Amino acid sequence: MAIPSFVDRATLLAVAGKGGDGCASVRREKFKPLGGPDGGNGGRGGSVILRVDPQLTTLVDFHRLSVRKATSGQAGKGDDQNGANGDDIVLAVPDGTVVSDAESGEVLADLTGAGAEVIAAAGGRGGLGNTALASSARKAPGFALLGEAGEERKITLELKVVADIGLVGFPSAGKSSLIAAISRARPKIADYPFTTLVPNLGVVVAGDTTYTVADVPGLIPGASQGKGLGFDFLRHIERCRALVHVIDCATYEPGRDPVTDLDVIEGELKAHGGLEDRPRMVVLNKVDVPDGAELAEMVRPDIEARGLPVFEVSAKSGQGLNALKFAMAEIVAHTRKEAPEPEAARIVIRPNPVDTGGKDFTIARQGDGEGGFLWRVKGEKPTRWVAQTNFSNQEAVGYLSDRLNRLGVEDELLAMGAQAGDSVAVGGQDAVIFEFAPQVQSGAELLSRRGEDQRLDHERPSATRRREEDREYHEARDAYGVVGRDPEGRSWRARLAEEQAGEQTDEF
């Protein structure tokens, strides 16, 4: 199937990179065994960013490739080396792109203006190494935290053309011919309805004013309710500074006349909403046709009585086009002057806070009590902590237990009637289930007391051996006076061994 050159609506799956895992390492130097933790932190995962590029006019790139993934952060290393951050992916989108969540429909950002950007999917944070986890209570952690997964979000991109002037009217009213006559745009032109299926943009120069004109595909009665392609067409005129009605004065369709056409299109614009404050002009097109010129002269007073400026033009012969160009330029210059100065602001997504009653977690009881209850602990912090925990490391599990206890999870479970042996599920969809054992030190405490490392509290074998040798040396020196080698070259250890062997022989 052929891929269209113009796409104004696309769906994108943005997958951010995972954060790198932290490193659990111990510094090793000569004469300094167990020199302290030196594991670095993991790098941040790359984010997927949408940024406005004024040179683009279509979303066709996302139609061809609808999945974009950022790279993950690297894991930390020993010697306090942090992992490298993942590379962000910056995706260029046209000016006027509306970004919304594909599942909820919530509008995330409305990108207008060169350089405007939004983070579609944020990269995961890197895990902390054991250097960052060390404290006065836990001097040498034997574990590190895992990196967090990056966001994965399905978003909808919708393009709303940004133009100064929007041409509206019935199909085959001559809008494409008009924009081709006043600019260098070359849209497809034919004599059948809905020749134009996508908006066409043209740049018009009138004196010192340069402005853009959008040829919006034809509207029909019921367009505001979605008849024809009404929804797709009407959104492209929402950002236009002014609207120009292009009315066909040479149509042969029964029941149509310029005033009726104007009323129908105005009714659809009103039903769509949000366009009441836009300046309007009326262009009576195709006056090069004899009947068209006479009809234009007849209806012009009625239209001018509504306070609308009227221009009689012919896109084919060029009649009246120069006056129309300068009139549109005057409206554009006036609206630009009255418009407030745009503020260059960085668009940031701020998720709505979750109401948990002032707590960082919620607990719900499930089950009928036969065989014990299942207690579900949910919350942003517990879910994130579970994802950061390496459950193959008992000390890391103990650290998770410490964090949950400091948060007040154990006290809340006891207050709600949890009994020892009940199952406790912590986290969201990938919850981890524990057996509730209140006041029992676990995980890190299997090595020593909670938050400590018994390797620092017990003497190492090498230190014990050296201390024993030092004791023997001083005892020999006290016994022989001088500790060294005798004239025969024997050391004090050899003489001591001979004396001990002789004493054992005398006993027998």
Side-chain angles (χ1 to χ4, degrees), residues 57 63 89 113 182 218 259 291-292 304 307 385 388 395 426 441 449 484 497:
T57 59
H63 182 80
I89 292 182
I182 63 178
V259 176
D291 293 343
E304 289 179 341
W385 292 346
Q388 292 175 337
E395 192 176 354
V426 182
Q441 298 176 342
R449 292 183 300 171

Side-chain angles (χ1 to χ4, degrees), residues 99-238:
V99 184
S100 58
D101 189 279
E103 297 179 357
S104 65
E106 178 187 1
V107 176
L108 304 178
D110 190 350
L111 300 177
T112 56
E117 65 179 35
V118 65
I119 299 177
R125 288 179 290 188
L128 297 179
N130 62 346
T131 299
L133 295 173
S135 64
S136 59
R138 183 180 283 105
K139 299 179 181 179
F143 66 98
L145 298 184
L146 303 179
E148 297 182 22
E151 288 185 336
E152 181 175 331
R153 174 177 286 172
K154 191 173 185 180
I155 59 177
T156 299
L157 305 178
E158 185 180 27
L159 175 61
K160 295 182 179 180
V161 173
V162 178
D164 295 305
I165 300 292
L167 305 181
V168 296
F170 272 78
S172 299
K175 299 183 296 297
S176 298
S177 300
L178 180 61
I179 196 173
I182 63 178
S183 71
R184 293 193 176 184
R186 292 296 176 263
K188 180 180 179 181
I189 300 174
D191 59 353
Y192 56 86
F194 294 111
T195 305
T196 302
L197 295 178
V198 298
N200 298 299
L201 287 177
V203 179
V204 182
V205 179
D208 296 333
T209 305
T210 301
Y211 56 94
T212 56
V213 178
D215 164 25
V216 180
L219 300 175
I220 61 176
S224 59
Q225 283 76 41
K227 189 175 181 180
L229 297 176
F231 289 147
D232 295 332
F233 293 170
L234 283 169
R235 72 166 180 265
H236 288 298
I237 62 175
E238 292 180 359

Side-chain angles (χ1 to χ4, degrees), residues 171-172 247-254 256-258 261 285-286 292 295:
S172 299
I247 298 178
D248 186 0
C249 291
T251 180
Y252 294 100
E253 295 183 21
R256 284 185 54 187
D257 61 82
D261 287 358
N285 194 21
K286 302 181 182 180
L295 183 60

Side-chain angles (χ1 to χ4, degrees), residues 258-496:
V259 176
T260 302
D261 287 358
L262 177 62
D263 292 337
V264 170
I265 299 301
E266 278 292 339
E268 297 302 324
L269 297 179
K270 183 177 181 180
H272 182 70
L275 302 171
E276 293 79 8
D277 59 337
R278 310 300 164 85
R280 286 164 166 76
M281 300 171 57
V282 176
V283 172
L284 300 177
N285 194 21
K286 302 181 182 180
V287 296
D288 55 307
V289 179
D291 293 343
E294 295 179 4
L295 183 60
E297 289 294 332
M298 293 175 55
V299 301
R300 180 168 185 162
D302 295 336
I303 298 176
E304 289 179 341
R306 303 183 181 187
L308 298 175
V310 180
F311 296 85
E312 299 179 14
V313 303
S314 171
K316 183 176 182 180
S317 65
Q319 176 184 344
L321 294 183
N322 197 46
L324 175 63
K325 288 166 56 177
F326 279 89
M328 290 192 295
E330 184 178 353
I331 291 181
V332 171
H334 177 72
T335 55
R336 288 176 180 175
K337 183 178 179 180
E338 297 295 329
E341 289 292 332
E343 297 182 1
R346 183 182 179 89
I347 300 176
V348 180
I349 297 177
R350 294 182 175 86
N352 296 326
V354 179
D355 185 10
T356 58
K359 297 182 180 180
D360 294 320
F361 62 92
T362 59
I363 299 179
R365 187 177 69 172
Q366 296 180 353
D368 55 4
E370 297 181 3
F373 291 102
L374 174 64
W375 303 85
R376 287 199 171 273
V377 180
K378 294 184 179 180
E380 190 270 336
K381 286 185 177 180
T383 301
R384 177 161 51 89
W385 292 346
V386 166
Q388 292 175 337
T389 302
N390 179 10
F391 287 94
S392 63
N393 187 310
Q394 292 296 325
E395 192 176 354
V397 177
Y399 180 67
L400 173 63
S401 177
D402 289 346
R403 302 175 87 178
L404 294 176
N405 288 339
R406 286 196 299 268
L407 194 63
V409 173
E410 182 176 300
D411 295 338
E412 184 71 15
L413 286 170
L414 292 173
M416 295 180 65
Q419 302 294 327
D422 288 350
S423 297
V424 180
V426 182
Q429 296 180 351
D430 300 328
V432 177
I433 299 178
F434 300 92
E435 183 177 327
F436 185 50
Q439 306 301 324
V440 174
Q441 298 176 342
S442 61
E445 296 74 27
L446 296 178
L447 297 176
S448 62
R449 292 183 300 171
R450 176 172 292 181
E452 296 184 358
D453 192 328
Q454 65 181 4
R455 294 176 296 179
L456 302 180
D457 298 330
H458 295 273
E459 193 174 80
R460 297 183 296 277
S462 58
T464 303
R465 184 177 63 254
R466 288 196 299 270
R467 184 171 287 104
E468 182 64 24
E469 292 176 353
D470 187 64
R471 183 187 60 78
E472 293 177 356
Y473 172 83
H474 285 85
E475 289 180 354
R477 188 178 63 179
D478 294 340
Y480 296 99
V482 178
V483 177
R485 296 182 179 274
D486 59 13
E488 297 178 1
R490 296 178 302 174
S491 67
W492 63 272
R493 293 181 182 276
R495 295 199 306 270
L496 181 61

Side-chain angles (χ1 to χ4, degrees), residues 15-17 44-49 70-71 86-90 119 121-124:
V15 182
R44 175 188 56 81
S47 301
V48 180
I49 302 174
T71 58
D87 295 330
D88 295 335
I89 292 182
V90 180
I119 299 177

